[in-house]
Amino acid sequence: MSIKKNIVRMGSVLTILLALLTGTVPRPVADGFGVEPLPDIEKSSPSICGDCNNDGSIDALDFALIKQYIADSAHGYNSTMDLNADNSIDAIDVSIMKQYLMGKLTSLPYTVPETATKWVGTWSTAPQLTEAANMPPSPGLSNNTLRQVVCVSAGGSQLRLKFSNEYGNSPLTLNSVHLAESAGESSIRQGTDRVLTFSGKEAVTIPAGKTVTSDTLDYSLTKLTNMAVTIYFGNVPAALTGHPGSRTTSYLKPGNAAGSLSMSGAAVTEHWYVLIGIDIFAGDSCKAAVALGDSITDGRGSTTNGNDRWTDRLAWRLQENTATSKVSVLNQGIGGNAVLSGGLGPTALSRFERDVLQQSGIRYVIIFEGVNDIGAGGSQAVATNLINAYKEFITKAHARGILVYGATITPFGGSQYDSAAHEQARQTVNNWIRTGGQFDAVIDFDAAVRNPGNQKQLSGSYDSGDHLHLNAEGYKKMSEAVDLTLFSK
């Protein structure tokens, strides 16, 4: 490095160190005697926590990188900037780096004390590429307004929302995003509407393949409440990120109707698009439980707009039970999903990091998936491979301090999957779940909903009609089979 560059670098470092004491950091500039341009964090491959520019040291330039990263919401997750290992990069990481550079902390990553607050998911859905049959109806999303309704589990006073363009083939622009309490159908409750911002701005453009998180919003969020998220879109890619199995009605209207109290005359669709999560800022006693599954977890057979999936019922039980009232439930089911290969959406093996480990405040995961693998293959080799996949899930989750509960696969006698080989594979998997000793606990959905007179079939009172998926009463029974004390650990 030349003498001039050394002088520039030393001046930059001194400038940023001085700024640590004042609480401000200058934004990098391209030339002159400001901070040198920071490296492309997407292309570098650092491995040491805190060494964000991979230069072998942790210094004020790394502090500036984290600040820049948060200001530029287009970047994806970068583990070297996650200084408290909570799968999120936010103001807490800025504070930790500041304390480290001032000598108040001696090592990274730093575990935040038990009394600290943190982000915890209160609602989520698993994103996938939207199939042609599930695209938005006319007039489409571009330059139009979409209102989507979701039911949160835990409440809080501060929150943030997450949006995804993971499967998009071009940038996605959100001109304006509003959050309000739903008043039923397309209406919102007057006086509850708030506008979200992104790095202080109302509009945000999400590059293809990326996700974005809103700024923190002060909001009195009540537990178990239907919330309306209304997006006025700009440009929208042809390939959309969404979740087809919403089991709730979304409302689409031409032009900008983001602040409207009602969207009468709107086109309707039973799909979600772009929105993937809501987090609350809560005390350490708050925790999230993720349900990883397929269409039975996604809620096929449940009541549209009824919020009576088994995960919804479980969320209600947890919130109403004093000992577990600070535990939220995140539904990461995808209809038609498989664990190993094929199916709809990314396999459970490929999405486990994203849909489980990267969820905010995760403490528990319920693994309830495998019926589509058995239905498509049906051999004992499939059963063995499913068991190996469960072992992989357990190992990865335990490494993060997450408890893993295994749920037995429910009966499918009389359905399209019915065969002797398929039933044998199901029994092999269920026997391992019950007796393998590797899950932290077992939730026996099979025993809860099977027909006592023919254990290969669902009980008739719980069968939606296709002998594979359950009805609302069946999902209620499944939720009642979950021991709530598992969520006091």
Side-chain angles (χ1 to χ4, degrees), residues 113-319:
E114 291 295 308
T115 56
T117 52
K118 63 181 181 183
W119 288 108
V120 179
T122 185
W123 175 87
S124 72
T125 193
Q128 62 186 97
L129 175 65
T130 303
E131 304 97 331
N134 296 319
M135 292 293 280
S138 179
L141 298 185
S142 295
N143 302 309
N144 296 320
T145 304
L146 177 72
R147 177 164 290 167
Q148 305 177 97
V149 180
V150 302
C151 186
V152 300
S153 45
S157 59
Q158 290 184 305
L159 50 83
R160 65 185 187 184
L161 275 65
K162 300 176 180 179
F163 304 87
S164 177
N165 191 24
E166 181 176 347
Y167 298 99
N169 54 357
S170 65
L172 165 70
T173 297
L174 313 181
N175 287 329
S176 182
V177 181
H178 289 231
L179 176 73
E181 187 175 331
S182 173
E185 297 185 342
S186 71
S187 298
I188 59 173
R189 196 170 302 283
Q190 191 166 11
T192 67
D193 186 54
R194 300 291 184 275
V195 178
L196 275 70
T197 59
F198 303 84
S199 299
K201 300 177 181 179
E202 186 172 344
V204 64
T205 295
I206 313 173
K210 303 297 182 181
T211 61
V212 69
T213 301
S214 75
D215 298 334
T216 300
L217 176 70
D218 292 330
Y219 196 98
S220 181
L221 183 69
T222 305
K223 68 179 182 180
L224 303 172
T225 299
N226 282 335
M227 301 300 296
V229 180
T230 309
I231 306 171
Y232 170 41
F233 290 90
N235 293 327
V236 174
L240 268 180
T241 300
H243 187 88
S246 66
R247 320 297 168 195
T248 65
T249 305
S250 299
Y251 304 88
L252 179 59
K253 200 161 187 180
N256 182 4
S260 300
L261 285 176
S262 179
M263 295 178 64
S264 58
V268 297
T269 182
E270 291 180 15
H271 307 301
W272 285 318
Y273 304 99
V274 180
L275 175 67
I276 61 169
I278 301 176
D279 292 347
I280 55 171
F281 201 53
D284 192 73
S285 58
C286 293
K287 300 176 177 66
V290 170
L292 182 72
D294 46 47
S295 56
I296 301 177
T297 295
D298 204 24
R300 182 170 177 179
S302 64
T303 309
T304 299
N305 299 317
N307 294 320
D308 51 15
R309 310 166 189 83
W310 72 264
T311 52
D312 299 319
R313 299 281 195 175
L314 176 59
W316 185 89
R317 292 186 65 217
L318 289 168
Q319 289 297 308

